[in-house]
Amino acid sequence: MIVTRSWLEEYIDLSDIDNGRLSAALNSIGLEVDAVDEHTMHEKVVVGEVVSCEKHPDADKLNVCQVNVGSEMVQIVCGAANVVDAKFVAVATVGAVLPGDFKIKKAKLRGLESMGMICSSSELGLPELEDGIMILDESIGELELGKPLNEYPKFADTVIDIELTANRGDCDSIHGVARDLCAAFDKELKSYDFEVKSRNVLGVAREFQVNSSCKVPSFFCYSIVEEDGLRSNFLERLRLGFVKQEAKDNLERAVAYAKHESGVLLRAYDYNKLSKGSEEPVSFEIRECENSTIEVRCAKELVSIAGVNQNDNSKASESSGKILLEASYVDPDFVVEGVSANKIESDELYYNSSRGSETDLAYGMKKLQQLLSWVNSGVTFSSGEVIACEAKKGSVISIKTSEINSIIGSEIPKIEIINILKRLEFEAQKVDDDVFAITIPPFRHDIKNTQDVAEEILRIYGIDNIEERALSIVEANRTNATYLNYKRLRDIRERAVGANFFEALTYAFSNKELLQKYGFGLIDESLELLNPIVKELNTLRTTLLVNLLEAANRNVKYGKKRIGLFEVGTIFNSQREESESLGFLLSGEEHRANVHNSATVEMVELKTFVERIGAVIGEFRLEPIEAENGLMHPYISAAIIKGGQRVGYLAKLHPKVADEFSLKDTFIAEVILEKVMPKHINAHALSNFQAVTKDLSVLVEKSLSFYKVAKVLQELKVAEPLLRDFYPLDIYEDESLGEKKSLTIRFTLQSDTATLSEQDMESLMATILESLKSHFAAELR
């Protein structure tokens, strides 16, 4: 991006800021200065007026000019062809020194005296503006004969080349750079206004209509101008030369000048080519295409792709007579995606649109209208403009001033943060003491989050104003709930593998017919799957066990004799609400045939299955229950009780179901994962005193199960702290005992405070026996 000092001064007061400070400020706010070129003229290069011009008598290509340089009339011989059309020119009088240490002296050319030189722009070290000499006008200021050109700020200007990053499209204009400088210097941006005086009586809508169906952020503004043979002034040519913008004619020059100053995307269409002689209004259709482009069509013919290119057949020139002007904006991300994906050829406007152009289309249109009416007194504009699509609005994000300071690494006062944001044209609204909702200006395409806002504040506040601090790195605490949950789940998986289970991974879908057949709940009909991946997986599973049985059946087909599977997965209730479940399956041989068991194969037993599950989920107890679904054996089913609550169930697989899945003796279990996840370690104090075991044999009814006895002893264990553990040691039945059976129970007794005495042990055993007598009519054997 190239700017000039005088051009910037049309928007910001730089009278108290020299070029050095200006360059330093640009660098500090992230607009890196690549080069500064101060154009100065020798004091003897002045404004002159060509009073007369005649052919040299002895040279066809030379003209003899009488030039008024204010203090005198001098004769100058000039070889430029365009001197015959010139009035005000740049004259290097005798004694002037031009670039390259070229000194102007009195001279004779083909016998005639020449007292100076009428200069071209390149001879004064300026860009080449036109063929021949440089013709001045009052666009650079009031022309005074004999006044040194060095005293005209717009002429002897400073050109600054800024290296912009790709995300700063908002500064890709004179207006954008000045806007940023105003924030840096805390100055007011000069207001700009222009009102077209010469307007057509008929409104633009009588001659032009537009229909848009775009959803992507994009909008357009259209105006019509009429003029035969557009002209330009010297300042336009000079400044475009400074900023290295080329133009083929005066219309293209005006469009380029307005775009460079305003940052708005501008195009010019030849109205007569669009209308093709028809008296009907010209109509544009703007539509968003599937290939990520926005096409502008007229009578179904493509005239341009917004922000990318324009059809050559629709372009206007300075002699078009009637011109349709377009100011536009298209979302830069959308434009880049369309061009890169489709390899579309782009023109010079794509550079601006892809980086984010100015969104104030009215400003860009007014600037172009001003330029066209500046030197074209006969120009006529349409009454009003046609607007297509909604203008872009600034997005709102929430920021914390404490977080801003944390990112910057310094305590910037809250009021200073808000003032900087307002200077950058952000709107800030207080939410609470530390939180603000800020509205990002629509022209700031690069601001997305708090970090971007912090960068904006830092570059205006000044990195040199940030106090130096030693580097400090604090490791964040990553031991959060998510990690702990992952770790607990990993531990369960590892324990299951350690208990000789293999992990199964099955779909979250299941066979609806099988779930119904075995008595499991189903998803409500209104929430069922619309497009199952296969017909066998036509619903969401409400249990893990059906899928595990199918997996076990596949293992049998592969020739496996011993199958131990577990799965951790999601199941669903009737309302399609998710929960995590843990399923187990153990089937087939207890141990494979070998020398130790004399090649005798035994099937797995309930005892083995219970021990393995205990190794995974920890200590639990079983309570007999009736079969709750078609998979459970009617007589070998139990609820799993852990921590005083039911967490799941286990059972032997129903023999009929085992046959259907080609399985031998099989045991299944399913528990609620959340209820068996080890949230913490339950630690118990260890006694320093010796534990003692005592056996007690009693006669009880044959029909009495140990489960009922254990329930009573468990309650007694709570009341008697010396009773630490118990388990059945032997059950003996004999004809001599009649309807009774002998039950031997081993008890572990221990104290935390002293070694147990015989009296303590006998007293506790007596209490235990008395409890068994009262509950079960037990007799000491």
Side-chain angles (χ1 to χ4, degrees), residues 508-619:
F509 313 112
S510 192
N511 189 313
K512 187 175 183 179
E513 289 70 28
L514 288 180
L515 292 176
Q516 286 179 314
K517 178 179 179 180
Y518 297 126
F520 290 97
L522 298 175
I523 304 295
D524 283 355
E525 193 68 30
S526 62
L527 301 174
E528 277 290 6
L529 299 177
L530 296 179
N531 297 297
I533 54 176
V534 292
K535 66 179 181 179
E536 291 83 5
L537 300 175
N538 53 7
T539 189
L540 292 169
R541 64 187 178 189
T542 55
T543 178
L544 299 177
L545 296 180
V546 171
N547 288 11
L548 284 177
L549 286 171
E550 291 179 324
N553 174 254
R554 286 191 292 271
N555 277 269
V556 169
K557 291 178 181 178
Y558 296 151
K560 301 296 181 182
K561 303 295 184 182
R562 293 178 298 154
I563 303 168
L565 301 175
F566 82 96
E567 181 173 10
V568 177
T570 302
I571 60 173
F572 302 82
N573 64 13
S574 62
Q575 298 303 307
R576 208 165 170 171
E577 295 170 338
E578 300 180 22
S579 61
E580 294 294 313
S581 187
L582 174 60
F584 295 93
L585 179 145
L586 186 62
S587 177
E589 300 173 356
E590 178 81 37
H591 301 287
R592 67 180 180 180
N594 56 57
V595 174
H596 299 289
N597 57 26
S598 302
T600 303
V601 176
E602 295 181 356
M603 295 295 106
V604 293
E605 298 179 351
L606 176 63
K607 171 179 173 292
T608 302
F609 186 56
V610 171
E611 288 176 350
R612 289 195 186 184
I613 292 179
V616 179
I617 68 172
E619 185 179 345

Side-chain angles (χ1 to χ4, degrees), residues 23-144:
S23 296
L26 287 169
N27 282 322
S28 70
I29 61 176
L31 307 182
E32 184 179 348
V33 175
D34 191 48
V36 177
D37 190 3
E38 297 184 12
H39 290 276
T40 59
M41 306 293 154
H42 194 274
E43 61 184 7
K44 287 185 175 293
V45 179
V46 300
V47 176
E49 179 184 5
V50 179
V51 177
S52 66
C53 181
E54 298 177 354
K55 283 288 184 183
H56 193 291
D58 295 328
D60 291 340
K61 293 185 178 181
L62 296 178
N63 294 290
V64 181
C65 303
Q66 302 301 318
V67 182
N68 186 352
V69 293
S71 60
E72 60 179 326
M73 187 78 69
V74 296
Q75 179 176 284
I76 298 176
V77 178
C78 180
N82 65 335
V83 74
V84 296
D85 301 319
K87 183 175 182 181
F88 295 106
V89 292
V91 180
T93 59
V94 175
V97 180
L98 302 186
D101 200 26
F102 181 67
K103 297 177 181 179
I104 304 299
K105 302 175 182 178
K106 293 180 182 181
K108 277 192 176 184
L109 296 175
R110 292 289 182 95
L112 292 182
E113 186 179 65
S114 181
M115 301 293 290
M117 184 171 73
I118 302 175
C119 302
S120 68
S121 58
S122 58
E123 290 168 335
L124 294 176
L126 300 173
E128 188 171 344
L129 305 181
E130 51 200 325
D131 292 334
I133 62 167
M134 188 169 60
I135 301 175
L136 306 178
D137 59 39
E138 293 195 339
S139 59
I140 62 170
E142 184 180 352
L143 296 178
E144 299 178 22

